[in-house]
Amino acid sequence: MTSCSLAHNLAVKLRKKIPSEKRHACIINGERLSYRSAGSGPPLVLLHGFGVSGYIWQRALPYLIQRRQVFVIDLPGHGRSKLTHPWCLREVAPLLASWLRQMALPPIALVGHSMGGAIALHLAAQTPELVERLVLVDAAGVPFQASLAVLAARSVRSMLQPGGGYPWPLVFDILRRPRLRLLYQTAQQLTSSDFRAEMAAITIPTLILWGERDPLLPLEMGKALSMALPHATFLTLPNCGHRPPLSQPELFSRLVLEFLL
């Protein structure tokens, strides 16, 4: 059996560990959007960051589904979601708004990590009737003020931090097919993204969570995001890097669920 087959079999086994988990796919604005759902209760939607897939949340999912019906999105061009057009950061939130309207869910709690945080900000600002609470985790949204080369070096450092290793299903999603053009387009847009104008329209309860040892998006960026959202609650996680759902899933989930009570 090849190494790819072994990785695939292991990924399949790990995917079966979440009770009640179901995989779905739908066509939204001509694009195939893939997502998973698990648990029961008020809806909670999770948006992942740059270059990964919804499996970035996998270690936190067993805790979150105890109180919420959780929807784990693969953003366009990531995981199992398709993308037929060039990537555009500001087109993702309108697509997700169409998906939410098609789903006919009550107002959701929305959690966005890294790039997913910028998308969550955009979605909450543009369609406040769809989102009742917002959680931003080491989120993009304010200017990076760093080159692509610097960000690439920071990303490598962040992946080498304790607890930063990816679950096998996430590794399998990343290696499923080459997406160099997508990653380059996304990185270019992220480095110049500035959602502070959208933030001015956000009035819903918001929680900002930040790893104190995040080398990719340093704590100063979290503080800048907090200043742009003065009504938000800003909490830092000691001894934590860029990916709290992976490195500290129990603490991360507890803070999110306490905020959503």
Side-chain angles (χ1 to χ4, degrees):
M1 184 177 290
T2 67
S3 59
C4 289
S5 298
L6 287 170
H8 173 74
N9 290 341
L10 180 56
V12 169
K13 290 179 182 179
L14 289 173
R15 286 170 182 158
K16 294 180 180 178
K17 288 186 176 181
I18 304 299
S20 74
E21 179 181 304
K22 297 179 181 178
R23 179 173 290 281
H24 314 267
C26 59
I27 303 300
I28 304 293
N29 299 345
E31 301 289 358
R32 182 183 186 274
L33 187 70
S34 177
Y35 63 97
R36 292 176 292 131
S37 64
S40 60
L44 170 63
V45 175
L46 307 179
L47 305 181
H48 64 78
F50 171 80
V52 293
S53 77
Y55 280 107
I56 198 78
W57 307 101
Q58 199 67 4
R59 294 175 188 160
L61 201 53
Y63 303 102
L64 297 174
I65 64 174
Q66 293 178 21
R67 298 187 190 174
R68 290 273 171 163
Q69 182 182 18
V70 182
F71 296 86
V72 184
I73 307 294
D74 283 347
L75 293 172
H78 297 73
R80 299 191 177 206
S81 290
K82 305 295 185 181
L83 182 65
T84 58
H85 300 93
W87 170 269
C88 182
L89 182 62
R90 290 182 177 272
E91 290 181 0
V92 181
L95 184 145
L96 293 176
S98 296
W99 171 72
L100 287 170
R101 292 189 178 101
Q102 178 175 299
M103 292 286 289
L105 295 172
I108 64 167
L110 181 63
V111 182
H113 172 247
S114 197
M115 177 186 73
I119 295 168
L121 280 166
H122 193 196
L123 180 60
Q126 295 295 312
T127 56
E129 72 279 6
L130 300 178
V131 183
E132 66 172 7
R133 296 228 166 187
L134 179 64
V135 180
L136 305 171
V137 187
D138 294 71
V142 297
F144 279 44
Q145 298 180 339
S147 67
L148 286 179
V150 169
L151 290 172
R154 289 181 184 176
S155 181
V156 172
R157 286 174 54 203
S158 74
M159 287 188 286
L160 296 176
Q161 289 181 302
Y166 288 165
W168 268 111
L170 179 55
V171 174
F172 185 72
D173 272 353
I174 293 171
L175 297 178
R176 183 188 306 277
R177 60 183 182 272
R179 298 166 299 140
L180 296 180
R181 183 178 180 184
L182 169 71
L183 295 176
Y184 181 69
Q185 290 173 338
T186 307
Q188 278 191 312
Q189 293 181 36
L190 273 175
T191 56
S192 60
S193 65
D194 187 351
F195 286 85
R196 286 176 293 186
E198 284 81 0
M199 293 182 213
I202 295 176
T203 59
I204 59 173
T206 302
L207 172 66
I208 303 172
L209 296 176
W210 217 273
E212 290 184 0
R213 297 187 177 181
D214 186 344
L216 179 56
L217 303 184
L219 187 57
E220 289 72 21
M221 282 191 66
K223 293 176 179 177
L225 189 66
S226 179
M227 290 180 65
L229 289 165
H231 65 284
T233 300
F234 181 49
L235 298 178
T236 62
L237 284 70
N239 303 313
C240 186
H242 182 63
R243 301 169 182 84
L246 286 183
S247 60
Q248 298 188 18
E250 186 173 5
L251 173 60
F252 163 79
S253 300
R254 178 170 60 81
L255 293 173
V256 170
L257 291 173
E258 287 177 353
F259 171 71
L260 298 180
L261 287 178

